[in-house]
């Protein structure tokens, strides 16, 4: 009888396990590929429902969108509810879908998040295709919500369909992300038992570039401030009084100019920032992705990724003043403007907003009256150390794309992720997504890269199957 060394047996066992793993991976990729035309058709159907949460006139479409998703989750065998939470502070929430399937004994449960509401279209003349008639052009599909975030909704549905059963599923599709998720925290507390999971996957972020999977490990916080500057109790003739009295628009411009130094860095005391990102963004690529005009210099110092992800940023996003069409020889008495403050992930957003408010009040030009109202704040997010479950997520992304995922920060904000971390402190959180630098979410010609979307479905299906096995 021939003796076999223990190490040889272990090696044979490991080889068999790896072979089985490869066969499972191939089977899942095959299923996703076979079902992908249906995923595209489903995305087109969902995009056609104009679920614009910010418009009261679209309440019916919001309900239609929720009904469409609920019908699909029931087809997948999930116990499904459509919920419009009532709160004393925020009234009735938009319709959300909560669909569940219990875990088999000894298996983990995953909470899958996405949102089905979308932004308004903006100026229709800027669109190359009809915004609510999704069209495939080359390797992308165009339309409002194709990426943000109806792609995330269909991603979850397609991954559940392709994955091996066994893992517990909690599918939470929100209906008010685009209006600040006003009932989100109340929803988490009201349905905390139903939403409890070992792993939370948020499919509402982006990838570093097309063909490169990414995990979002930091997000800046956000604050919105309304500022009013007053110099007169009524408008004046600019010829009669111009000279000793500066108009409110000029003084507002001088106040706004104090927010940045000559290099373009934020010059507000008390705002934190760091320059310690792991990857960098080539300037030429950033200029191309953002559509920066030739000759326009980029602002700030440090790496471009730190300027985008870990340093503060301040933008004027609205201003009330006389339009060009209504111009007259008048000294404007009052100007209002709105500032969007992006806060370093590690800083308390409320502290940062107060620092900006103090700066504005202290730098009122020529004694102008300035009032500042902090409209809203949303916390940033910094991921902790990897866990067993987040490592499974990384492995799934690597298997789907054939390359290791990149850890990225995102300059935008998803405040509810911090809420998830607070309500479910024991859960691991993976922030993934299907957007890329050319997605143009919230803008005209929003689009989704089909190849990356298919890979994302494969990755999530692999993750669910690994948890099931």
């Amino acid at each position: 009888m021939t003796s076999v060394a223990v190490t040889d047996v272990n090696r044979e066992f490991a080889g068999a396990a790896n072979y089985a793993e490869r066969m499972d991976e191939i089977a899942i990729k095959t299923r996703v590929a076979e079902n992908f035309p249906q995923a595209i058709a489903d995305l087109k159907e969902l995009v056609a429902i104009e679920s614009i949460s910010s418009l009261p006139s679209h309440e019916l479409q919001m309900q239609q969108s929720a009904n469409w998703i609920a019908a699909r989750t029931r087809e997948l065998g999930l116990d499904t509810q459509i919920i419009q939470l009532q709160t004393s502070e925020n009234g009735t929430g938009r319709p959300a879908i909560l669909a569940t399937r219990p875990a088999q004994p000894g298996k983990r449960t995953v909470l899958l998040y996405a949102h089905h509401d979308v932004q308004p279209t903006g100026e229709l003349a800027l669109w190359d295709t009809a915004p609510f008639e999704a069209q495939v052009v080359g390797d992308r599909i165009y339309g409002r919500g194709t990426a943000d975030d109806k792609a995330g909704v269909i991603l979850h549905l397609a991954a559940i369909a392709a994955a091996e059963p066994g893992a517990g599923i909690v599918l939470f599709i929100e209906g008010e992300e685009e209006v600040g998720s006003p009932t989100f925290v109340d929803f988490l507390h009201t349905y905390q038992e139903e939403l409890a999971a070992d792993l939370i996957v948020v499919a509402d972020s982006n990838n570093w570039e097309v063909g490169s999977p990414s995990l979002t490990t930091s997000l800046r916080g956000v604050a919105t401030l309304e500022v009013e500057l007053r110099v007169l109790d009524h408008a004046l003739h600019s010829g009669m009084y111009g000279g000793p009295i500066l108009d409110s628009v000029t003084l507002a411009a001088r106040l706004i100019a104090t927010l940045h130094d000559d290099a373009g860095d934020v010059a507000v005391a008390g705002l934190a920032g760091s320059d310690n990102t792991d990857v960098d963004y080539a300037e030429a690529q950033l200029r191309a992705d953002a559509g920066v005009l030739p000759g326009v210099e980029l602002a700030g110092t440090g790496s471009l990724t730190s300027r985008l992800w870990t340093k503060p940023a301040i933008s004027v996003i609205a201003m009330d003043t006389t339009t060009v069409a209504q111009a007259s020889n008048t000294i404007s008495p009052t100007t209002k403007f709105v500032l969007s403050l992006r806060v370093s992930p590690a800083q308390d957003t409320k502290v940062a907003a107060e620092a900006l408010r103090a700066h504005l009040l202290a730098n009122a030009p020529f004694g102008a009256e300035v009032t500042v109202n902090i409209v809203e704040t949303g916390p940033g997010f910094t991921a902790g150390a990897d866990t067993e479950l987040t490592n499974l997520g990384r492995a799934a992304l690597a298997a789907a794309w054939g390359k290791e995922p990149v850890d990225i920060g995102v300059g935008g904000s998803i405040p509810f992720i911090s809420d998830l971390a607070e309500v479910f402190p024991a859960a691991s959180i993976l922030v993934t997504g299907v957007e890329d630098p050319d997605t143009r979410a919230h803008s005209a010609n929003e689009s989704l890269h089909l190849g990356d979307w298919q890979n994302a479905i494969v990755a999530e299906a692999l993750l669910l199957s690994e948890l099931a096995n």
Side-chain angles (χ1 to χ4, degrees):
M1 178 175 174
T2 306
S3 61
V4 179
V6 173
T7 53
D8 292 334
V9 173
N10 288 343
R11 190 178 298 114
E12 287 182 18
F13 179 81
N18 289 338
Y19 176 78
E21 210 170 272
R22 289 196 302 273
M23 293 301 100
D24 289 344
E25 180 182 319
I26 291 170
I28 287 171
K29 288 182 175 179
T30 300
R31 283 198 292 272
V32 170
E34 290 174 347
N35 296 337
F36 195 60
Q38 184 60 52
I40 295 174
D42 287 345
L43 182 58
K44 288 182 176 181
E45 281 191 35
L46 191 54
V47 166
I49 303 172
E50 300 179 19
S51 51
I52 304 172
S53 55
S54 62
L55 300 181
S57 60
H58 281 58
E59 288 183 8
L60 176 61
Q61 290 90 332
M62 289 296 303
Q63 193 63 55
Q64 289 173 338
S65 179
N67 291 340
W68 189 97
I69 297 165
R72 295 304 192 275
T73 59
R74 292 185 179 111
E75 289 174 3
L76 291 171
L78 276 64
D79 184 15
T80 301
Q81 309 173 66
I82 297 177
I83 301 166
Q84 287 187 260
L85 192 67
Q86 297 271 356
T87 69
S88 57
E89 183 177 351
N90 296 297
T92 304
R94 281 77 167 177
I97 300 92
L98 180 57
T100 59
R101 184 179 70 194
Q104 293 178 2
K107 306 301 181 183
R108 307 286 184 88
T109 295
V110 183
L111 168 60
L112 305 174
Y113 169 92
H115 64 88
H116 69 102
D117 62 321
V118 300
Q119 286 281 329
T121 60
E123 190 176 341
L124 290 175
L126 298 176
W127 286 81
D128 296 332
T129 61
F132 293 108
E133 297 175 14
Q135 295 185 36
V136 174
V137 181
D139 56 7
R140 305 187 75 91
I141 183 169
Y142 290 81
R144 174 59 83 229
T146 50
D148 185 20
D149 184 34
K150 291 183 176 180
V153 174
I154 305 300
L155 184 161
H156 292 324
L157 299 178
I160 293 169
E164 297 295 329
I169 301 294
V170 179
L171 182 63
F172 174 29
I173 308 298
E174 188 192 0
E176 54 188 29
E177 194 274 345
E178 298 293 5
V179 290
S181 303
T183 66
F184 187 89
V185 174
D186 290 318
F187 194 101
L188 294 187
H189 287 290
T190 303
Y191 295 95
Q192 186 168 355
E193 184 176 343
E194 292 90 337
L195 292 166
D198 303 290
L199 175 65
I200 300 171
V201 178
V202 177
D204 192 24
S205 189
N206 57 282
N207 291 314
W208 173 239
E209 59 186 358
V210 169
S212 180
S214 304
L215 283 175
T216 299
T217 56
S218 73
L219 293 155
R220 289 193 292 198
V222 64
T224 303
L225 292 82
E226 289 183 354
V227 186
E228 183 173 6
L229 184 146
R230 298 175 301 278
V231 294
L232 297 165
D233 62 11
H234 64 280
L236 295 173
H237 191 292
S238 62
M240 297 292 291
Y241 291 97
I245 300 173
L246 293 177
D247 62 90
S248 64
V249 180
T250 296
L251 295 185
R254 292 178 70 92
L255 178 57
I256 292 168
T258 69
L259 300 176
H260 299 86
D261 63 20
D262 289 342
D265 285 307
V266 170
V268 176
L271 295 185
S274 63
D275 189 4
N276 58 355
T277 52
D278 295 329
V279 295
D280 203 1
Y281 205 159
E283 180 174 341
Q285 188 63 50
L286 172 61
R287 297 179 74 91
D289 292 341
V292 180
L293 297 178
V296 175
E297 298 179 9
L298 300 184
T301 58
S303 68
L304 287 173
T305 47
S306 70
R307 288 182 246 175
L308 292 167
W309 299 345
T310 59
K311 288 187 173 186
I314 303 173
S315 302
V316 180
I317 59 172
M319 180 176 282
D320 287 340
T321 187
T322 306
T323 66
V324 172
Q326 296 174 322
S328 66
N329 289 320
T330 305
I331 297 176
S332 168
T334 303
T335 295
K336 295 181 180 179
F337 57 93
V338 179
L339 298 176
S340 175
L341 168 65
R342 300 293 171 162
V343 181
S344 175
Q347 185 171 28
D348 185 301
T349 305
K350 293 181 180 178
V351 171
E354 287 293 347
L356 177 53
R357 180 177 182 274
H359 175 96
L360 292 163
L361 296 176
N363 287 274
F366 288 85
E369 291 183 7
V370 174
T371 58
V372 182
N373 178 31
I374 299 173
V375 178
E376 63 178 351
T377 61
F381 167 74
T382 302
D386 275 340
T387 67
E388 172 198 1
L389 295 179
T390 58
N391 281 329
L392 285 178
R394 289 181 183 279
L397 289 169
W401 264 268
K403 62 191 300 186
E404 292 298 320
V406 177
D407 284 358
I408 64 170
V410 171
S413 307
I414 313 178
F416 66 77
I417 293 179
S418 292
D419 297 327
L420 286 168
E422 183 176 344
V423 177
F424 303 108
S428 299
I429 298 179
L430 278 175
V431 184
T432 66
V434 294
E435 297 178 26
D436 60 75
D438 201 34
T439 289
R440 304 188 188 186
H442 295 198
S443 182
N445 299 316
E446 177 181 347
S447 69
L448 169 73
H449 188 274
L450 292 171
D452 276 358
W453 189 42
Q454 182 172 346
N455 286 339
I457 296 170
V458 169
E460 188 166 295
L462 289 172
L463 174 61
L464 296 176
S465 298
E466 184 64 26
L467 294 174
N469 292 328

